[in-house]
Each structure stands twice: as C-alpha cells, then as structure tokens.
Amino acid sequence: MRALSGRVDEAAPALLGCRLRSDIEGATTEIVITEVEAYGGADDPASHASRGRTTRNRSMFERAGTLYVYRSYGVHWCLNVVTGPVGEGGAILVRGGEPTLGSDVMAERRGRADHLTDGPGKICQALAVTGEHDGLDLLGDGVVRLISGGHLPFDSTARVGISKAVERTWRFVART
DNA sequence: CTATGGATTCGCT
DNA sequence: GCGAATCCATAGA
C-alpha cells in the first residue's frame, strides 16, 4: 500500500479506488472505497487526535496502515485508516463505498438489500467490523485488509457531521 | 464520581 | 424533515 503516509489530506484521496476486505464469520466481503474524510492530529480540532493520545483514540497514533475503529453515538462503529507518523495521530474515515464481494452477506448483516455501504456506520456493519478489530494492521494478513487500487478523479468538499474546523475541505468523493 | 455529547442511522410524521 | 436510540470516554466537580 503506497501513499499511506504524509499529510492526511493528501493521503486521503489516494484511498479512493482502494478496496477494503474483511474475512469475518466465515464470509468474505469487500468494497471499493469511494468516499473518505481526512482527520489530522493536534492541528485539527475536529479530529479525535486533537486532544492527544487517549484510551479511545490510541490506535490513531500507531503507524500508517493501522485500523482505527470507534463507537459513534453509542450505536454505530466507524472505520478509519491511520496514515499519520507514529505518535502524531491522523486517520482517514471511510465514509462510503460500493460492494464488490459478498454483497449477499452484507445484505444479510444489514437486514436490507440497498444502502449497504453508503455511510460509515453501514460499512462497519456490512463488513462486520467492530471495536474488537481496532488496532489491526490493515497491511498484514489479518481479517481486515486494505488492498491498493487505482487512483480515481475526485471532488473535495467540507466534512460532514462535525462542529469544528468545518471550513476544511477534507472530504473526498470519487467522481462518478 | 457524575454529567455530557458525539466523525450516525433509521423510522415515523 | 425531525428526533430517538444507546454506549462510554472525556471533562468537570
């Protein structure tokens, strides 16, 4: 996996077109990443890493290629790819994608046939990724892996669902 | 120790 | 379109 280091806002669009695969519960599911958001370190007020290393975000400070999963609103899991140098904190939230493998399994896990992976919480549910996978190495041969792909043309917009540093256009959407 | 507020989703109006 | 659901780390006393 190349280009997983350096500035998060530069590494983020490189993830578009990459695939995210999980081999969990005996099933293989995979998506192509089409939407991401970059979250920085101490310099990004909207990032979980902005207040330093804590219990919840410790994975964000690991090396690039580490999986960072956190619980959102007490209900959903959100999946991130760590990109920052060790100790700095910085990750890319995978917000959207399209199923490429095991969409039938995803539909079963999601309890519906549509809107399988068009939101951060939905992706985790579709791929069966939870907090127990937090800290996993996505570049190794674990149950969740990141597979490099071609780069796609993209548009950048403001991030969604945050209340700080709203002006940064660190959301990257693959152009269709 | 207690209170608070989310990098969201879904269902009902 | 709007609000509830629901967990737990963080922040404040």
Side-chain angles (χ1 to χ4, degrees):
Chain A
M1 193 57 212
R2 63 190 148 68
L4 256 194
S5 52
R7 292 169 52 93
V8 280
D9 53 317
E10 291 173 359
L15 276 185
L16 298 172
C18 292
R19 298 193 300 281
L20 196 58
R21 174 185 296 187
S22 83
D23 289 291
I24 296 172
E25 299 167 354
T28 298
T29 48
E30 183 187 88
I31 64 167
V32 173
I33 299 172
T34 59
E35 181 178 344
V36 297
E37 276 180 15
Y39 285 90
D43 61 329
D44 184 1
S47 171
H48 289 165
S50 65
R51 282 183 307 241
R53 188 181 194 136
T54 63
T55 305
R56 173 170 102 209
N57 66 19
R58 63 193 150 72
S59 299
M60 278 187 93
F61 294 84
E62 295 302 318
R63 70 180 176 289
T66 301
L67 179 65
Y68 168 45
V69 183
Y70 70 93
R71 200 196 287 286
S72 171
Y73 294 89
V75 187
H76 305 285
W77 295 105
C78 289
L79 184 158
N80 304 249
V81 178
V82 177
T83 61
V86 173
E88 271 207 19
I92 297 168
L93 170 68
V94 179
R95 288 193 59 86
E98 289 182 12
T100 53
L101 284 178
S103 58
D104 53 335
V105 178
M106 297 186 200
E108 191 177 327
R109 287 172 179 159
R110 295 269 302 115
R112 50 173 47 198
D114 55 350
H115 298 290
L116 294 176
T117 55
D118 57 350
K122 300 177 189 179
I123 288 177
C124 287
Q125 191 182 6
L127 297 186
V129 171
T130 69
E132 73 179 277
H133 303 110
D134 183 51
L136 213 66
D137 180 13
L138 289 169
L139 308 182
D141 59 352
V143 294
V144 184
R145 291 196 293 285
L146 188 63
I147 304 166
S148 62
H151 55 81
L152 301 173
F154 62 91
D155 295 313
S156 52
T157 69
R159 289 178 290 186
V160 174
I162 57 172
S163 55
K164 299 166 187 168
V166 177
E167 73 283 359
R168 298 191 192 187
T169 55
W170 281 8
R171 175 179 181 235
F172 304 93
V173 186
R175 214 174 283 162
T176 49

